[in-house]
Each structure stands twice: as structure tokens, then as C-alpha cells.
Amino acid sequence: MKPMPTLRQLRYLVAVVDRCHFGQAAEACLVSQSTLSASIQELEDLLGAPLLERTRRSVMPTPLGREVAERARGLLKGAEDLVDIARSSTDPMGGPLHLGVIPTIGPFLIPRIMPRLRAAFPKLKLYLREDQTARLLARLDTGELDAAILALPYPMGDLESVDIAEDRFWVVCPPDHRLCATPTAQPADVAMEDLMLLEDGHCLREHALAACALEEAPRNTTFQGTSLHTLVQMVANGLGVTLLPQMAVDSGILRGLNLGVRPLDGPVPYRRIGLVWRRTSGRKETFRHLAETLREEIASPIPVAA
């Protein structure tokens, strides 16, 4: 029988290729640097070719090393999916689950849904990671995450998704602003204003503009926020107007601020909130149960005290 690399050797190689640093790779794999280095040396001896170029100050993959690492990612994901299939067959709503969530959803949704999830699935150990969509999808692709809560649409490649909510947009401005003079804000009037928006990389920026048909509206380029909390503070200081999703408004993001909120006239603009996962994942039943629970919780009225 032909000698085969071990999954551990492949995991160590991928870690070094990703970081180009033995110490950081060893730390990520929770092993000593000598153990990791020796394991990769065994892999090179097995394959009969160098996979890494080593100097006193740096390490980088050879062309073969980069190709082997890329193929190893698929093997490692397949092995993890086998474990997930076995685990979900005994208790689909038990064990660890690594869930990603974007910053324009996490602070407003997670505190609300966590009590419901703990009560419904007491054996589920949920590990959360908040990050921008592109980085969450990269972690989902490498198997670091099992699923993610994202705003859609977004190009996702070979992933499965299910919608869990529609999150409408509201216009937010100072109460004496002309947009607050009527019960609804006209898109043409909003398009004449300087919009306070999140910086590039946050998909809410594009979703809000597209949903509200404001792609050609002028932007306040002197300030681009990194969070919705910062944006509303800038609007409260008279620097412009902004667009907020319903879940942010419901969470009390405007509490204590003298701001007006108006819906846009015409068809209700919204973004879709979805749960996404790898098509090859063995935990699809887990994700369907999770999506249904999230859908029910989001649809339920928020208590007045909240």
C-alpha cells in the first residue's frame, strides 16, 4: 500500500503556508514549534520533495508546497464534514458550532437570540465570530466556521443559504430636518442629501443604497463610519442623514438621541438576512433547525422593556 500523508501533517503544512511563520503556525495548531517542524519534515521525506523554503529569518512555500497545501484544504474540509455527519446523526443540536456574524447584524441580533437558543438547544455550544462578510466567507471556506449569518444578496460561490428575515431600511435625520416634515421621505429628496455611510467593505452600504434606489446620491466623503453607532452620533451632530436597518432601530440604537426616523415612500426597501453554510457540510439538519429558531425569534414582537 502506498504511504499516505496524515491529516495532522497536512494541517500543519496549511498553517505554515497561510502564515509563512513557524512560530505563529505552531501557536495556531496548539503544538510546539519543534513538533510542527518535525512533522512537516516527515511529510517532505514522504513526498520526496521540499515543500517549504527555509532561511534563518523567513519561511515560504515552494510552488509544490503551495499546490499541496491547496489540495490539503479540500481533504481537511472533507474529513471535518465526516465528523460533522457522525455527530449530527446522534444529536444534530448538540456539540460545538462555530457561527460567524457581520457587524451590522451581530450587536443587534445576538443579544436578542442567545436566550432563545440556550433554552431551545441546551447541548449546543455556540462559538461566535464577528467580522466583515468577505472574511467570514473565507473562514467558512477553510472550515474555521460552520455557518454564518449574513446580509444578502452577496456572491457566495458554492454555499447553501436560507432566508431568516427581511430587514427594512429607515431614513434617520435630525428632527428639524426637511425630511421629517412629512410622514414619509421621498427617495428623490433623500438623494439630494449628503448620506453618512459605512466605509467600504461593509455590505450594508451597498444594500442600503441599492434597496432604496439611491446609488447615485451624493455621499458625505469627509466621514465614513466603521459602525452604525458611530454613524448615528454623527447624524445627531448635524453632519448629514443616514439609513438604518430595522433591527438596529428596534435594538434601541437611537435611544437618548434627538433624531427623527422616517420610512421611504413607495415599496418598502429591505435587505435579506440569511444563514449560509458549505454545500458539503454534514450538519444541514442543524442549520435548518437553527434557521427556523432564528426566523421565529426575529418575527416575534420585542418586549416594550427592551
Side-chain angles (χ1 to χ4, degrees), residues 42-258:
E42 292 172 359
L43 178 60
E44 290 178 317
D45 293 342
L46 175 67
L47 298 179
L51 302 175
L52 301 173
E53 294 181 15
R54 302 166 176 85
T55 68
R56 290 184 177 181
R57 295 186 177 182
S58 66
V59 58
M60 66 178 63
T62 64
L64 175 62
R66 193 174 300 278
E67 181 177 352
V68 171
E70 191 60 33
R71 291 173 180 262
R73 297 180 201 278
L75 295 173
L76 292 170
K77 282 194 296 182
E80 290 171 357
D81 289 341
L82 288 177
V83 175
D84 288 342
I85 291 173
R87 181 180 295 145
S88 64
S89 67
T90 57
D91 185 2
M93 301 312 296
L97 179 67
H98 295 266
L99 181 67
V101 61
I102 59 175
T104 58
I105 293 178
F108 316 114
L109 180 61
I110 296 302
R112 177 180 174 184
I113 64 172
M114 285 305 294
R116 173 74 176 268
L117 293 179
R118 284 195 296 265
F121 313 118
K123 295 182 180 180
L124 188 67
K125 296 181 180 179
L126 198 58
Y127 298 90
L128 297 170
R129 183 176 187 91
E130 185 178 278
D131 209 335
Q132 292 185 12
T133 303
R135 289 195 285 265
L136 291 181
L137 291 178
R139 292 180 181 276
L140 192 59
D141 185 60
T142 61
E144 295 177 67
L145 293 175
D146 299 306
I149 300 175
L150 306 178
L152 305 175
Y154 194 94
M156 297 183 296
D158 193 28
L159 295 175
E160 291 185 359
S161 68
V162 60
D163 285 8
I164 57 178
E166 293 181 355
D167 195 21
R168 70 178 297 183
F169 287 105
W170 296 83
V171 179
V172 178
C173 54
D176 56 353
H177 195 280
R178 69 185 186 93
L179 294 178
C180 282
T182 56
T184 60
Q186 298 296 324
D189 292 336
V190 177
M192 297 173 63
E193 300 293 331
D194 282 339
L195 290 175
M196 306 289 294
L197 299 171
L198 293 177
E199 63 183 3
D200 289 337
H202 291 272
C203 58
L204 179 67
R205 177 190 182 100
E206 286 72 27
H207 286 156
L209 293 173
C212 302
L214 299 173
E215 291 95 331
E216 302 303 321
R219 320 289 167 80
N220 190 326
T221 57
T222 61
F223 177 85
Q224 296 185 58
T226 58
S227 75
L228 294 181
H229 289 87
T230 305
L231 280 187
V232 296
Q233 290 292 338
M234 297 300 101
V235 173
N237 279 278
L239 297 182
V241 304
T242 194
L243 300 166
L244 284 185
Q246 178 79 52
M247 64 172 56
V249 176
D250 288 345
S251 74
I253 192 173
L254 302 179
R255 189 177 295 122
L257 298 176
N258 187 25

